[in-house]
Protein backbone atom coordinates (compact mmCIF):
# COMPACT_ATOMS: atom_id res chain seq x y z
CA UNK A 1 0.00 0.00 0.00
CA UNK A 2 1.45 3.41 -0.98
CA UNK A 3 0.66 6.63 0.83
CA UNK A 4 1.16 10.16 -0.42
CA UNK A 5 3.94 12.26 1.11
CA UNK A 6 1.43 14.79 2.53
CA UNK A 7 -0.58 12.02 4.17
CA UNK A 8 2.54 10.54 5.77
CA UNK A 9 3.59 13.98 7.08
CA UNK A 10 0.13 14.46 8.56
CA UNK A 11 0.27 11.05 10.27
CA UNK A 12 3.76 11.74 11.63
CA UNK A 13 2.53 15.03 13.09
CA UNK A 14 -0.25 13.19 14.87
CA UNK A 15 2.05 10.50 16.15
CA UNK A 16 4.91 12.63 17.42
CA UNK A 17 3.50 16.00 18.37
CA UNK A 18 1.35 16.92 21.30
CA UNK A 19 -1.61 18.96 19.97
CA UNK A 20 -1.70 21.01 23.18
CA UNK A 21 1.71 22.45 22.21
CA UNK A 22 0.40 23.89 18.95
CA UNK A 23 -1.12 27.26 18.31
CA UNK A 24 -3.15 27.75 15.19
CA UNK A 25 -3.14 31.06 13.36
CA UNK A 26 -6.15 31.77 11.19
CA UNK A 27 -6.26 34.72 8.88
CA UNK A 28 -8.84 34.69 6.16
CA UNK A 29 -8.76 31.31 4.45
CA UNK A 30 -5.21 30.55 5.57
CA UNK A 31 -4.18 28.79 8.75
CA UNK A 32 -0.86 27.65 10.07
CA UNK A 33 0.08 25.76 13.21
CA UNK A 34 3.01 27.04 15.25
CA UNK A 35 4.57 25.14 18.12
CA UNK A 36 4.79 27.05 21.38
CA UNK A 37 4.02 30.74 21.54
CA UNK A 38 2.13 32.30 18.64
CA UNK A 39 4.09 35.06 16.89
CA UNK A 40 2.49 38.46 16.58
CA UNK A 41 1.54 39.94 13.23
CA UNK A 42 4.37 42.47 13.69
CA UNK A 43 6.86 39.64 14.26
CA UNK A 44 5.65 37.84 11.13
CA UNK A 45 5.95 41.03 9.11
CA UNK A 46 9.43 41.51 10.60
CA UNK A 47 10.41 38.20 9.02
CA UNK A 48 9.57 39.80 5.69
CA UNK A 49 11.99 42.65 6.34
CA UNK A 50 14.92 40.70 7.75
CA UNK A 51 16.21 37.22 7.01
CA UNK A 52 18.16 37.40 10.29
CA UNK A 53 14.92 37.99 12.22
CA UNK A 54 13.30 35.05 10.45
CA UNK A 55 16.21 32.74 11.31
CA UNK A 56 16.36 33.89 14.96
CA UNK A 57 12.67 33.07 15.47
CA UNK A 58 11.72 29.48 16.24
CA UNK A 59 8.34 29.99 14.57
CA UNK A 60 9.92 31.76 11.61
CA UNK A 61 12.42 28.94 11.08
CA UNK A 62 9.60 26.37 11.20
CA UNK A 63 7.60 28.25 8.57
CA UNK A 64 10.70 28.74 6.40
CA UNK A 65 11.65 25.07 6.80
CA UNK A 66 8.18 24.03 5.64
CA UNK A 67 8.62 26.30 2.63
CA UNK A 68 12.05 24.82 1.87
CA UNK A 69 10.56 21.33 2.13
CA UNK A 70 8.01 22.31 -0.52
CA UNK A 71 10.93 23.39 -2.75
CA UNK A 72 12.90 20.20 -2.05
CA UNK A 73 15.73 22.13 -0.39
CA UNK A 74 15.01 21.46 3.28
CA UNK A 75 18.53 20.06 3.71
CA UNK A 76 19.89 23.62 3.76
CA UNK A 77 18.11 24.66 6.93
CA UNK A 78 18.63 21.22 8.50
CA UNK A 79 22.37 21.57 7.92
CA UNK A 80 22.36 25.11 9.33
CA UNK A 81 20.43 23.95 12.43
CA UNK A 82 22.77 20.98 12.95
CA UNK A 83 25.74 23.37 12.86
CA UNK A 84 24.05 25.61 15.43
CA UNK A 85 23.60 22.59 17.73
CA UNK A 86 27.23 21.57 17.24
CA UNK A 87 28.40 25.03 18.36
CA UNK A 88 26.71 24.47 21.75
CA UNK A 89 28.73 21.32 22.49
CA UNK A 90 31.75 21.23 24.80
CA UNK A 91 32.23 17.47 25.25
CA UNK A 92 34.93 16.30 22.79
CA UNK A 93 33.48 12.82 22.06
CA UNK A 94 30.05 14.36 21.35
CA UNK A 95 31.63 17.03 19.13
CA UNK A 96 33.41 14.31 17.15
CA UNK A 97 30.23 12.23 16.80
CA UNK A 98 28.05 15.18 15.79
CA UNK A 99 30.69 16.38 13.33
CA UNK A 100 30.87 12.94 11.72
CA UNK A 101 27.05 12.80 11.50
CA UNK A 102 26.82 16.27 9.94
CA UNK A 103 29.53 15.35 7.45
CA UNK A 104 27.82 12.09 6.47
CA UNK A 105 24.34 13.66 6.30
CA UNK A 106 25.08 16.93 4.51
CA UNK A 107 28.64 17.18 3.16
CA UNK A 108 29.46 13.74 1.79
CA UNK A 109 28.88 13.43 -1.94
CA UNK A 110 27.17 10.11 -1.14
CA UNK A 111 24.50 11.77 0.99
CA UNK A 112 20.99 12.15 -0.46
CA UNK A 113 20.76 15.40 1.57
CA UNK A 114 24.04 16.87 0.36
CA UNK A 115 24.18 20.67 0.53
CA UNK A 116 25.73 22.71 -2.24
CA UNK A 117 29.25 23.76 -1.20
CA UNK A 118 32.11 24.98 -3.31
CA UNK A 119 35.35 22.98 -3.48
CA UNK A 120 37.31 25.44 -1.33
CA UNK A 121 34.84 25.07 1.56
CA UNK A 122 34.82 21.28 1.15
CA UNK A 123 38.62 21.31 1.43
CA UNK A 124 38.41 23.38 4.63
CA UNK A 125 35.87 20.93 6.10
CA UNK A 126 38.02 17.94 5.17
CA UNK A 127 41.02 19.51 6.95
CA UNK A 128 38.85 20.40 9.97
CA UNK A 129 37.50 16.84 10.23
CA UNK A 130 40.98 15.61 11.26
CA UNK A 131 40.36 17.28 14.64
CA UNK A 132 36.72 18.43 14.79
CA UNK A 133 35.67 21.40 16.91
CA UNK A 134 32.31 23.12 17.41
CA UNK A 135 33.39 25.40 14.52
CA UNK A 136 34.33 22.70 12.00
CA UNK A 137 31.56 23.74 9.60
CA UNK A 138 31.54 27.52 10.13
CA UNK A 139 32.52 28.44 6.57
CA UNK A 140 30.05 25.95 5.11
CA UNK A 141 27.32 27.22 7.41
CA UNK A 142 27.92 30.79 6.24
CA UNK A 143 27.82 29.67 2.62
CA UNK A 144 24.50 27.84 3.10
CA UNK A 145 23.02 30.75 5.10
CA UNK A 146 23.97 33.10 2.26
CA UNK A 147 22.48 30.70 -0.29
CA UNK A 148 19.16 30.53 1.60
CA UNK A 149 19.13 34.31 2.03
CA UNK A 150 19.89 35.04 -1.62
CA UNK A 151 17.88 32.29 -3.34
CA UNK A 152 15.12 30.84 -1.16
CA UNK A 153 14.19 33.80 1.03
CA UNK A 154 12.89 36.02 -1.83
CA UNK A 155 10.68 33.14 -3.05
CA UNK A 156 9.48 32.56 0.52
CA UNK A 157 8.45 36.23 0.78
CA UNK A 158 6.43 35.86 -2.42
CA UNK A 159 4.77 32.63 -1.30
CA UNK A 160 1.03 32.65 -0.73
CA UNK A 161 1.45 31.16 2.76
CA UNK A 162 3.76 33.95 3.95
CA UNK A 163 1.67 36.68 2.36
CA UNK A 164 -1.48 35.30 3.97
CA UNK A 165 0.11 35.06 7.41
CA UNK A 166 1.52 38.57 7.12
CA UNK A 167 -1.87 39.75 5.85
CA UNK A 168 -0.31 41.20 2.73
CA UNK A 169 -2.94 39.96 0.29
CA UNK A 170 -6.65 39.37 -0.22
CA UNK A 171 -7.86 42.84 0.65
CA UNK A 172 -5.90 43.28 3.89
CA UNK A 173 -3.85 46.43 4.10
CA UNK A 174 -0.43 46.70 5.73
CA UNK A 175 -2.12 48.36 8.74
CA UNK A 176 -4.20 45.21 9.23
CA UNK A 177 -7.52 46.76 8.27
CA UNK A 178 -9.67 45.26 5.60
CA UNK A 179 -9.87 47.20 2.38
CA UNK A 180 -12.61 46.95 -0.17
CA UNK A 181 -11.77 46.43 -3.78
CA UNK A 182 -13.38 48.79 -6.26
CA UNK A 183 -16.40 47.30 -8.02
Amino acid sequence: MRFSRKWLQWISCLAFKNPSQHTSMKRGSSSYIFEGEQPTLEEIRGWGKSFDKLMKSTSGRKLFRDFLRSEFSEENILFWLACEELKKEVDVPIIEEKSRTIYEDYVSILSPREVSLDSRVRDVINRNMVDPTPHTFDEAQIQIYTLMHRDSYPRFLNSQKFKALAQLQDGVSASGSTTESPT
Side-chain angles (χ1 to χ4, degrees):
M1 176 182 263
R2 290 183 45 96
F3 296 104
S4 72
R5 182 179 213 167
K6 290 271 189 202
W7 193 84
L8 290 172
Q9 288 173 342
W10 180 78
I11 292 296
S12 67
C13 285
L14 291 177
F16 299 108
K17 295 185 180 176
N18 180 350
S20 65
Q21 294 176 332
H22 296 289
T23 304
S24 179
M25 292 190 74
K26 295 185 179 177
R27 292 196 163 64
S29 62
S30 176
S31 67
Y32 192 79
I33 297 175
F34 289 101
E35 292 181 22
E37 191 172 319
Q38 179 175 337
T40 65
L41 180 58
E42 287 70 32
E43 183 180 1
I44 293 169
R45 288 185 178 162
W47 302 340
K49 295 177 182 152
S50 167
F51 185 64
D52 291 334
K53 284 183 183 178
L54 174 73
M55 293 297 284
K56 287 178 183 172
S57 164
T58 303
S59 297
R61 284 192 310 267
K62 181 185 183 324
L63 184 65
F64 188 56
R65 179 179 171 181
D66 289 347
F67 171 77
L68 291 176
R69 183 180 303 126
S70 74
E71 288 204 325
F72 304 101
S73 60
E74 180 183 24
E75 68 277 356
N76 291 325
I77 196 164
L78 293 175
F79 170 75
W80 186 86
L81 290 167
C83 292
E84 288 297 293
E85 287 301 312
L86 177 64
K87 289 177 185 179
K88 297 175 187 175
E89 283 301 331
V90 293
D91 188 22
V92 173
I94 293 174
I95 291 168
E96 290 173 350
E97 178 64 24
K98 284 188 175 186
S99 294
R100 185 184 58 74
T101 300
I102 291 170
Y103 187 89
E104 290 173 359
D105 288 350
Y106 303 106
V107 180
S108 170
I109 58 171
L110 301 174
S111 172
R113 296 190 295 180
E114 178 188 6
V115 293
S116 179
L117 300 170
D118 64 38
S119 61
R120 184 192 63 78
V121 171
R122 284 183 183 281
D123 289 343
V124 169
I125 291 171
N126 289 331
R127 283 193 304 272
N128 290 346
M129 287 299 291
V130 172
D131 186 24
T133 71
H135 301 284
T136 295
F137 301 98
D138 283 0
E139 286 194 52
Q141 188 183 21
I142 290 168
Q143 193 171 66
I144 294 303
Y145 189 88
T146 302
L147 175 74
M148 290 187 296
H149 184 201
R150 185 187 66 235
D151 292 344
S152 302
Y153 179 62
R155 289 191 303 276
F156 168 75
L157 296 179
N158 286 318
S159 71
Q160 293 301 313
K161 187 174 284 187
F162 175 74
K163 286 180 178 181
L165 287 174
Q167 296 184 357
L168 298 174
Q169 65 182 21
D170 296 331
V172 180
S173 71
S175 68
S177 61
T178 305
T179 58
E180 292 188 26
S181 56
T183 53

